[in-house]
């Protein structure tokens, strides 16, 4: 079992819709989670981090964490074509800083 | 700060040759990671250094791969001999190691092609 797992997609949504990206993790001791966005041919860049159960909002992005279910999600409201990218979920795990990544979910936002 | 700097950006080499990838982490960052990214396997953690010491190299695929961090500002990943299946994008990332609530910062990556 991988430490962090994601559905590889692709996930296609129309422009203006809500995109929902999901991630599960295996290490119950994990305390922090990160969502990265990676455009084709580029390096991953951080868009959201979350450490506590519940929701965290930043502009059009909302990260959700449920530690009991070992589940993390990212919602993108009012999706734009520029949001089309691969979204990677990451966690350092209980053993800090090993930074395991999921395989990524490819999001396509259609105009 | 210039961010994490990797070189070269692109490398094409023949099978059997030695390849050395280089990384300069962000100044003051104590943790350094090497990743390999392919379509099939995604982003794989190869090795993790903390304060220049290799902490976990369980992700290194074979003895052909080796990594060093001789000082806080420089790390190398070496493949000897290289094989076509090593073709991938190799990323270096660093982290200030101030606990769990800190992100990893990525370099631009090295695209390696072994022919």
């Amino acid at each position: 079992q991988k430490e962090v797992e994601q559905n590889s997609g692709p996930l296609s949504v129309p422009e203006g819709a809500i995109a929902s990206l999901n991630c599960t993790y295996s290490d119950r001791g994990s305390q922090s989670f990160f969502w990265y966005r990676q455009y084709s041919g580029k390096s991953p860049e951080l868009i959201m981090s979350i450490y506590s159960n519940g929701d965290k909002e930043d502009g059009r992005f909302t990260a959700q964490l449920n530690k009991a279910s070992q589940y993390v999600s990212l919602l993108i409201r009012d999706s734009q074509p520029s949001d089309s990218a691969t979204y990677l979920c990451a966690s350092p795990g209980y053993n800090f800083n090993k930074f395991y990544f999921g395989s990524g979910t490819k999001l396509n936002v259609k105009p | 700060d210039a961010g994490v700097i990797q070189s070269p950006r692109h490398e094409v080499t023949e099978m059997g040759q030695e390849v050395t990838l280089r990384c300069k982490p962000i100044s003051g960052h104590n943790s350094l990671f090497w990743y390999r990214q392919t379509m099939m396997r995604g982003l794989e953690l190869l090795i993790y250094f903390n304060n220049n010491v290799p902490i976990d190299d369980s992700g290194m695929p074979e003895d052909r791969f080796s990594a060093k961090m001789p000082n806080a500002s420089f790390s190398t990943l070496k493949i000897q001999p290289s094989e076509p299946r090593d073709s991938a994008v190799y990323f270096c990332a660093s982290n200030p190691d101030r606990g769990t609530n800190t992100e990893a910062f990525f370099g631009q990556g090295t695209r390696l092609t072994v022919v």
Side-chain angles (χ1 to χ4, degrees):
Chain A
Q1 181 185 12
K2 291 192 68 175
E3 289 79 6
V4 179
E5 302 211 44
Q6 296 179 252
N7 185 325
S8 61
L11 173 66
S12 291
V13 301
E15 183 175 355
I18 296 175
S20 178
L21 305 162
N22 304 313
C23 170
T24 59
Y25 61 94
S26 60
D27 186 346
R28 281 198 170 273
S30 296
Q31 299 179 41
S32 53
F33 302 88
F34 302 85
W35 282 100
Y36 284 76
R37 177 177 60 201
Q38 185 177 25
Y39 291 113
S40 181
K42 302 295 186 181
S43 56
E45 57 177 344
L46 180 75
I47 52 172
M48 287 284 289
S49 58
I50 187 165
Y51 319 115
S52 303
N53 272 331
D55 296 359
K56 178 182 177 182
E57 187 173 317
D58 183 0
R60 296 187 296 111
F61 298 95
T62 298
Q64 300 174 318
L65 174 59
N66 183 326
K67 291 186 177 181
S69 300
Q70 296 177 243
Y71 181 89
V72 191
S73 65
L74 179 71
L75 301 178
I76 306 174
R77 290 181 299 280
D78 188 23
S79 296
Q80 301 297 309
S82 59
D83 295 326
S84 298
T86 296
Y87 290 80
L88 299 157
C89 175
S91 176
Y94 181 73
N95 185 3
F96 305 157
N97 292 328
K98 289 188 76 172
F99 265 96
Y100 292 111
F101 281 80
S103 55
T105 299
K106 186 174 176 62
L107 173 66
N108 292 323
V109 180
K110 296 179 286 187
Chain B
D1 198 315
V4 177
I5 299 173
Q6 292 186 245
S7 63
R9 291 291 306 277
H10 302 273
E11 176 82 29
V12 180
T13 191
E14 292 185 347
M15 182 174 62
Q17 296 298 306
E18 177 180 296
V19 176
T20 299
L21 311 181
R22 297 173 176 80
C23 175
K24 176 179 168 56
I26 293 173
S27 177
H29 284 195
N30 298 328
S31 293
L32 183 139
F33 314 87
W34 281 101
Y35 292 91
R36 176 173 68 176
Q37 188 174 41
T38 61
M39 289 292 291
M40 292 296 295
R41 301 176 68 88
L43 196 61
E44 302 174 275
L45 177 62
L46 301 178
I47 187 168
Y48 151 53
F49 291 88
N50 186 261
N51 291 323
N52 312 336
V53 176
I55 303 300
D56 190 331
D57 64 355
S58 59
M60 296 286 262
E62 300 172 36
D63 290 344
R64 299 184 296 107
F65 286 70
S66 62
K68 294 182 180 180
M69 192 165 186
N71 57 62
S73 59
F74 183 67
S75 177
T76 59
L77 177 68
K78 185 179 293 186
I79 308 173
Q80 166 63 20
S82 57
E83 297 183 5
R85 59 196 170 113
D86 301 330
S87 297
V89 180
Y90 291 81
F91 287 106
C92 175
S94 70
N95 171 283
D97 189 21
R98 288 195 290 267
T100 60
N101 299 344
T102 50
E103 68 187 272
F105 296 80
F106 280 78
Q108 294 303 302
T110 296
R111 181 173 295 277
L112 173 65
T113 303
V114 183
V115 297

